[in-house]
Amino acid sequence: MNGFDELFIRAKAARARAYAPYSRFPVGAALRAESGAVFAGCNVENAAYPLGVCAETSAISAMIAAGERRIAEILVLGPGAERIAPCGACRQRIAEFAGPGARVHMADDSGQVETLRLSELLPRVFTLGGG
Ligand code: THU
């Protein structure tokens, strides 16, 4: 299995477990840490809507809980034929743990994918200390 396929399969499995009763918009994400290990996540909504957590954020939490700190690539899988891009907040969360060259794959159900560098999605990232 190639690297992309592994991320795709893991994101799809996580998406199947998404908790999205309010939006009915299940999302899965899977990331490869720099060690090579893969971590997946899904969106987890809440009756108090703003408390919902995105799939990318869940995957990052799984990575951190496992003791890893660096993202090499991340894949986000929306509900169907549509390719979705990570929300602005998740771009910033990804940037906390990834360099500007990290690849962000936006896939649809059929496995069609568009890949951008994090720096293309978030050109002027906020960092403490300026820059
Ligand atoms: N969502 C994600 O999980 N990731 C994204 O990149 C975009 C949006 C979730 C949040 C919410 O549970 C649902 O999709 C609809 O916005």
Side-chain angles (χ1 to χ4, degrees), residues 28-29 31 35-36 38 43 46 48 72 97 107 123:
L31 67 83
S35 71
V38 172
N43 51 339
N46 193 280
F97 303 108

mmCIF file of all heavy atoms in Angstrom, residues 28-29 31 35-36 38 43 46 48 72 97 107 123:
data_model
loop_
_atom_site.group_PDB
_atom_site.id
_atom_site.type_symbol
_atom_site.label_atom_id
_atom_site.label_comp_id
_atom_site.label_asym_id
_atom_site.label_seq_id
_atom_site.Cartn_x
_atom_site.Cartn_y
_atom_site.Cartn_z
ATOM 1 N N GLY A 28 -13.441 12.874 7.850
ATOM 2 C CA GLY A 28 -12.341 12.085 8.396
ATOM 3 C C GLY A 28 -11.023 12.748 8.051
ATOM 4 O O GLY A 28 -10.911 13.447 7.034
ATOM 5 N N ALA A 29 -10.035 12.539 8.887
ATOM 6 C CA ALA A 29 -8.692 13.057 8.601
ATOM 7 C C ALA A 29 -7.677 12.016 9.037
ATOM 8 O O ALA A 29 -7.933 11.239 9.973
ATOM 9 C CB ALA A 29 -8.446 14.375 9.329
ATOM 10 N N LEU A 31 -3.250 11.750 9.385
ATOM 11 C CA LEU A 31 -1.957 12.423 9.195
ATOM 12 C C LEU A 31 -0.834 11.431 9.398
ATOM 13 O O LEU A 31 -0.972 10.447 10.133
ATOM 14 C CB LEU A 31 -1.833 13.616 10.148
ATOM 15 C CG LEU A 31 -1.748 13.354 11.656
ATOM 16 C CD1 LEU A 31 -0.342 13.011 12.120
ATOM 17 C CD2 LEU A 31 -2.268 14.571 12.418
ATOM 18 N N SER A 35 7.709 10.398 12.073
ATOM 19 C CA SER A 35 8.210 9.038 12.350
ATOM 20 C C SER A 35 7.675 8.026 11.346
ATOM 21 O O SER A 35 8.166 6.911 11.259
ATOM 22 C CB SER A 35 7.773 8.603 13.747
ATOM 23 O OG SER A 35 6.364 8.361 13.727
ATOM 24 N N GLY A 36 6.606 8.396 10.632
ATOM 25 C CA GLY A 36 5.951 7.461 9.714
ATOM 26 C C GLY A 36 4.631 6.934 10.251
ATOM 27 O O GLY A 36 3.824 6.386 9.504
ATOM 28 N N VAL A 38 0.826 6.774 11.502
ATOM 29 C CA VAL A 38 -0.383 7.439 11.012
ATOM 30 C C VAL A 38 -1.400 7.563 12.149
ATOM 31 O O VAL A 38 -1.613 6.603 12.900
ATOM 32 C CB VAL A 38 -0.988 6.648 9.829
ATOM 33 C CG1 VAL A 38 -2.345 7.211 9.422
ATOM 34 C CG2 VAL A 38 -0.034 6.680 8.642
ATOM 35 N N ASN A 43 -14.723 14.347 12.940
ATOM 36 C CA ASN A 43 -15.358 15.455 13.646
ATOM 37 C C ASN A 43 -16.277 14.923 14.746
ATOM 38 O O ASN A 43 -16.888 13.853 14.625
ATOM 39 C CB ASN A 43 -16.071 16.427 12.700
ATOM 40 C CG ASN A 43 -17.035 15.800 11.716
ATOM 41 O OD1 ASN A 43 -16.951 14.618 11.416
ATOM 42 N ND2 ASN A 43 -17.949 16.597 11.204
ATOM 43 N N ASN A 46 -21.380 18.778 18.973
ATOM 44 C CA ASN A 46 -21.993 18.913 20.289
ATOM 45 C C ASN A 46 -23.283 19.703 20.151
ATOM 46 O O ASN A 46 -23.377 20.578 19.276
ATOM 47 C CB ASN A 46 -21.010 19.654 21.222
ATOM 48 C CG ASN A 46 -21.424 19.564 22.671
ATOM 49 O OD1 ASN A 46 -22.303 20.291 23.134
ATOM 50 N ND2 ASN A 46 -20.806 18.670 23.393
ATOM 51 N N ALA A 48 -24.224 22.003 21.922
ATOM 52 C CA ALA A 48 -23.765 23.397 21.972
ATOM 53 C C ALA A 48 -22.820 23.563 20.783
ATOM 54 O O ALA A 48 -21.629 23.252 20.860
ATOM 55 C CB ALA A 48 -23.057 23.677 23.288
ATOM 56 N N ALA A 72 4.093 15.328 8.769
ATOM 57 C CA ALA A 72 4.703 15.359 7.435
ATOM 58 C C ALA A 72 3.646 15.625 6.366
ATOM 59 O O ALA A 72 3.881 16.358 5.407
ATOM 60 C CB ALA A 72 5.410 14.035 7.160
ATOM 61 N N PHE A 97 2.321 22.287 14.166
ATOM 62 C CA PHE A 97 3.100 21.035 14.191
ATOM 63 C C PHE A 97 3.674 20.651 12.833
ATOM 64 O O PHE A 97 4.151 19.526 12.669
ATOM 65 C CB PHE A 97 2.208 19.896 14.723
ATOM 66 C CG PHE A 97 1.634 20.183 16.082
ATOM 67 C CD1 PHE A 97 0.284 20.472 16.228
ATOM 68 C CD2 PHE A 97 2.436 20.209 17.205
ATOM 69 C CE1 PHE A 97 -0.250 20.768 17.474
ATOM 70 C CE2 PHE A 97 1.921 20.503 18.455
ATOM 71 C CZ PHE A 97 0.565 20.788 18.588
ATOM 72 N N ALA A 107 -9.207 15.087 -0.356
ATOM 73 C CA ALA A 107 -9.674 13.949 -1.153
ATOM 74 C C ALA A 107 -11.196 13.885 -1.177
ATOM 75 O O ALA A 107 -11.871 14.390 -0.279
ATOM 76 C CB ALA A 107 -9.124 12.655 -0.573
ATOM 77 N N PRO A 123 -0.598 31.216 3.967
ATOM 78 C CA PRO A 123 0.669 31.866 3.590
ATOM 79 C C PRO A 123 1.319 32.690 4.698
ATOM 80 O O PRO A 123 2.524 32.779 4.757
ATOM 81 C CB PRO A 123 0.289 32.775 2.420
ATOM 82 C CG PRO A 123 -1.115 32.464 2.070
ATOM 83 C CD PRO A 123 -1.725 31.678 3.188
#
